[in-house]
Amino acid sequence: MPVQRAGIKASNPVGLAAGFDRHGEAVRGALGLGFGFIEIGGVTPKPQPGNPKPRLFRLTADRAIINRMGFYSHGADAVARRLDRYRHRGGRGTVGVNLAKNKTSENASADYATVAQTVAGLADFVTVNVSSPNTPGLRALQTEGELRRIVERVRDTLPPGMALWVKLCPDLGAAARAALGAALATMPVDGIVVANTTVSRPVGLHSPASAEQGGLSGRPLKTLAARALGDIAAASEGKVDLIGVGGIENAEDARQRLEAGAALVQFHTALIYGGSLLPYRIASALARSPATVCDTPPAFAAGARPNGRTPTLPSVTAQ
């Protein structure tokens, strides 16, 4: 069930979200689970230890996780060496790198550009992460001016044809989502990832760890992430591909995001609770579906996107 969307080619539209393999240590294994593409990271320019432990909590009763890792990273050079070794050993598959900034850095755009330049030619896409709740001041970068500055600087460091995504948080208000969706559609980006973890705590959480600080992912994020995707889809008017993330646990969840406007989907927390066969099961179920789940967005009928690339838009149907 191959797809070519958001500037990448993937064997299927089901991807591994950033945060699972933070350092590029499990690329071959993750792709072997049945994911069509994977995203490693977040990766910072320099190694950093992240926030103090404990910083990761399972909310088993809620099928959720809270993390406040704080971009625990081995650094861009270490990740690039692992990717280079993987490629030289014949490693294939679509691999992206989630770009992050060092906690003490005062120049976010320079940090993102440094990581992008370090992995250029080794990864297939990079994602500008301005939406983690665990690095002070990071979410303040989710404004049109800041994002345009970052996106243009990162784009200048990438080789032609390498895809660039931006990842947003689900906690923005409707007006902010509308403004960012419209603005990003005019920037040289290939995809918008919606959404990262949430600092909100939906009513009805049962796990004792639900009061811990950090970003919440998994089942409780499903409704909020789906609403954010719908708002960004409406605001961007089909001018840029969307990647749906947050609370996806099964093929029906994935199909709903695709039908709501996503070109691709990702998950991470569900892998913890659903087991290693989950990516294969979801991708297989989508392939068996008689309905098209990745239709061509109407705005693409007129031709190229604002970034100048004319997308190839295969239908994802049963094969």
Side-chain angles (χ1 to χ4, degrees), residues 26-78:
V27 173
R28 188 182 303 276
L31 287 168
L33 297 180
F35 287 108
F37 62 100
I38 66 169
E39 185 175 343
I40 62 179
V43 178
T44 55
K46 300 176 182 178
Q48 66 177 28
N51 292 326
K53 297 179 180 179
R55 56 191 182 186
L56 185 67
F57 308 90
R58 288 197 188 194
L59 281 63
T60 305
D62 303 297
R63 308 277 288 192
I65 286 175
I66 290 174
N67 92 84
R68 50 173 181 260
M69 300 295 287
F71 290 145
Y72 160 49
S73 176
H74 290 176
D77 288 340

Side-chain angles (χ1 to χ4, degrees), residues 127-180:
T127 302
V128 172
N129 185 345
V130 289
S131 49
S132 170
N134 301 313
T135 295
L138 191 76
R139 286 187 167 192
L141 300 176
Q142 293 177 111
T143 65
E144 179 178 356
E146 291 287 354
L147 271 179
R148 192 175 297 277
R149 186 178 304 110
I150 293 168
V151 164
E152 290 177 353
R153 183 157 184 179
V154 172
R155 174 59 73 190
D156 287 342
T157 70
L158 298 178
M162 188 171 178
L164 171 57
W165 298 357
V166 172
K167 188 167 187 174
L168 302 179
C169 84
D171 299 322
L172 296 166
R177 287 198 291 263
L180 279 182

